[in-house]
Amino acid sequence: MTGQIEPIARMAQQLSRLPGIGSKSALRLAYHIVSLPQEQVRELAAAIWQGRKDVKLCPVCGNYTVEAPCPICADESRHNGVLCVVREPRDVAAIERMRDFKGGYHVLHGTLSPMEGVGPDDIRIRELVQRVQDEHIREVILATNPDIEGEATAAYIARLLKPMGVLVTRIAHGLPVGGDLEYTDEVTLAKAIEGRREM
Amino acid sequence: MTGQIEPIARMAQQLSRLPGIGSKSALRLAYHIVSLPQEQVRELAAAIWQGRKDVKLCPVCGNYTVEAPCPICADESRHNGVLCVVREPRDVAAIERMRDFKGGYHVLHGTLSPMEGVGPDDIRIRELVQRVQDEHIREVILATNPDIEGEATAAYIARLLKPMGVLVTRIAHGLPVGGDLEYTDEVTLAKAIEGRREM
């Protein structure tokens, strides 16, 4: 950031800490922000700071929320004995967009990853076990990503919960709707055939 | 931004107003920012707001600065009768990085563009003429970009300043250092040959 005046260099340095923003884009953004009306920049900075300050984790499900517990956990009609387990808050938003799932959530805030030193105590697995005991849960849907860490985490949780007498299910793997069989990788294809259903 | 809680939706909406940040990246950024330590987000928001507030335009050259006039305009040793005219503050930073140019600057804050309704009165041309009169300028180097609007702006300013008895020059067009002749477009190549110098 040589050759820049200090306020612009500092702004660019802070922006470059965000994911996907390299030092060149950060500098371009900083120059753009400096050229904006003060009022617009005030709104941007306030939305960033206020947003971070207002958002907390729901003490029950671990999703981002303004109130505690979050609106979903506070909604009695969603206490139907079904919990959907996801890796992060963004996944809750994705499933909610579908407007189809009527149970509760449990956000793990990560997946098991021996490579990165993330063990069972580092994600919200103990809290999940506690909820299954306390909340009369009949079914736990494991909706972690279909990648190595997501599968390993799902397998670990399944082993833990099954002895408790709860139904543990995994979201289906298969061809995405609108996908093309010809261009589907073999693993997905194998999963799709393995998971076939009678019509 | 459906399915997001309000503080995250608002943050994403503000971020998506920045250039090069679409609504999906804005949402990803907002989720990332919410997951950061409060202290780091406070620093980010402060750098953005404080940066915008601290930076003003130098009343002399139009470059971004904290003090008025800017350090370059305040530096007597750079009042050598040579002004380099650029489109925007970023261009000053680029030339300063070269550490080679010892004169002053004049930032136009735009280029003439009939298509977008930018005329001579919309950029800092009148201020330039005034400075040439007041500051005993011997040479004006036109360093606008080598594109249609940059060339048109340079030509317009040259026509305006020449009758005032000042030397008006244009930065050289040619092959970039390390460039490959074979892959150079014809216009650049023609300019490079036209601008050839004795060795």
Side-chain angles (χ1 to χ4, degrees):
Chain A
M1 319 262 171
T2 45
Q4 315 305 332
I5 60 174
E6 200 272 336
I8 291 179
R10 182 152 36 94
M11 199 191 296
Q13 196 268 324
Q14 286 290 335
L15 289 168
S16 70
R17 298 175 74 181
L18 297 175
I21 300 186
S23 63
K24 282 208 169 177
S25 348
L27 197 55
R28 198 161 29 232
L29 279 177
Y31 268 101
H32 176 80
I33 290 171
V34 161
S35 79
L36 293 174
Q38 282 216 10
E39 183 53 25
Q40 187 180 336
V41 178
R42 206 193 53 76
E43 279 172 17
L44 169 66
I48 289 174
W49 170 234
Q50 202 65 41
R52 173 64 189 85
K53 239 182 37 178
D54 288 352
V55 172
K56 39 185 169 290
L57 296 189
C58 171
V60 183
C61 72
N63 191 15
Y64 289 143
T65 181
V66 177
E67 305 96 30
C70 76
I72 296 175
C73 287
D75 182 349
E76 280 293 331
S77 79
R78 300 194 63 156
H79 294 197
N80 63 356
V82 181
L83 278 189
C84 180
V85 176
V86 296
R87 188 179 62 171
E88 44 179 341
R90 295 188 62 181
D91 300 328
V92 174
I95 297 177
E96 282 298 291
R97 266 199 296 277
M98 190 180 66
R99 293 168 194 274
D100 221 20
F101 177 68
K102 295 297 175 206
Y105 291 97
H106 190 82
V107 183
L108 295 171
H109 285 277
T111 37
L112 297 177
S113 172
M115 297 282 285
E116 288 170 37
V118 181
D121 291 340
D122 300 314
I123 61 179
R124 301 178 68 253
I125 290 182
R126 196 181 305 134
E127 291 86 340
L128 174 62
V129 172
Q130 193 65 48
R131 288 183 71 188
V132 168
Q133 281 173 351
D134 298 351
E135 295 181 25
H136 307 290
I137 301 300
R138 292 178 289 110
E139 177 178 1
V140 172
I141 303 172
L142 298 171
T144 51
N145 284 340
D147 53 18
I148 295 178
E149 290 163 2
E151 295 296 354
T153 307
Y156 181 91
I157 294 177
R159 256 200 323 275
L160 214 61
L161 295 186
K162 274 184 184 165
M164 297 172 66
V166 64
L167 176 65
V168 182
T169 57
R170 180 87 176 102
I171 47 164
H173 296 324
L175 270 69
V177 177
D180 191 325
L181 203 128
E182 189 184 356
Y183 299 116
T184 305
D185 66 284
E186 309 81 52
V187 183
T188 302
L189 211 51
K191 294 270 186 189
I193 291 176
E194 183 190 318
R196 69 191 180 279
R197 297 166 65 175
E198 198 179 328
M199 297 186 56
Chain B
M1 319 264 172
T2 44
Q4 316 305 331
I5 59 174
E6 199 273 336
I8 292 179
R10 183 153 33 94
M11 200 191 296
Q13 196 268 325
Q14 285 290 335
L15 289 167
S16 71
R17 298 174 73 180
L18 297 175
I21 300 187
S23 63
K24 282 209 169 179
S25 350
L27 197 54
R28 201 162 26 233
L29 280 177
Y31 269 100
H32 176 81
I33 289 171
V34 161
S35 77
L36 293 174
Q38 282 216 9
E39 182 53 26
Q40 187 179 335
V41 178
R42 205 193 52 76
E43 279 173 17
L44 169 66
I48 289 174
W49 170 235
Q50 202 65 41
R52 174 62 189 86
K53 238 181 39 177
D54 288 352
V55 171
K56 39 185 168 291
L57 296 189
C58 171
V60 184
C61 72
N63 191 14
Y64 289 144
T65 181
V66 178
E67 304 96 31
C70 75
I72 296 174
C73 287
D75 181 349
E76 281 293 333
S77 79
R78 301 194 63 156
H79 294 198
N80 62 358
V82 181
L83 278 189
C84 180
V85 176
V86 296
R87 188 181 60 171
E88 45 179 339
R90 297 190 61 182
D91 301 328
V92 174
I95 297 176
E96 283 297 290
R97 268 199 294 278
M98 188 181 67
R99 292 166 193 278
D100 221 21
F101 177 69
K102 296 298 176 204
Y105 290 97
H106 189 83
V107 183
L108 295 171
H109 285 275
T111 37
L112 298 177
S113 171
M115 296 281 286
E116 289 170 37
V118 182
D121 291 340
D122 300 314
I123 61 178
R124 299 179 69 254
I125 290 181
R126 196 182 305 132
E127 291 88 337
L128 174 62
V129 172
Q130 194 64 47
R131 286 183 73 187
V132 169
Q133 281 174 349
D134 297 350
E135 294 180 26
H136 307 291
I137 300 300
R138 290 177 290 111
E139 178 179 359
V140 171
I141 304 172
L142 299 170
T144 50
N145 285 338
D147 53 19
I148 295 178
E149 289 163 3
E151 295 295 353
T153 308
Y156 180 90
I157 294 176
R159 256 200 323 276
L160 214 61
L161 295 185
K162 272 183 185 167
M164 296 171 67
V166 63
L167 176 65
V168 181
T169 58
R170 180 86 176 103
I171 48 164
H173 296 326
L175 272 68
V177 177
D180 190 324
L181 203 127
E182 188 183 356
Y183 299 114
T184 305
D185 66 284
E186 310 79 57
V187 183
T188 303
L189 210 52
K191 293 272 186 190
I193 290 176
E194 181 189 322
R196 67 192 181 277
R197 297 167 63 176
E198 198 180 327
M199 297 187 56

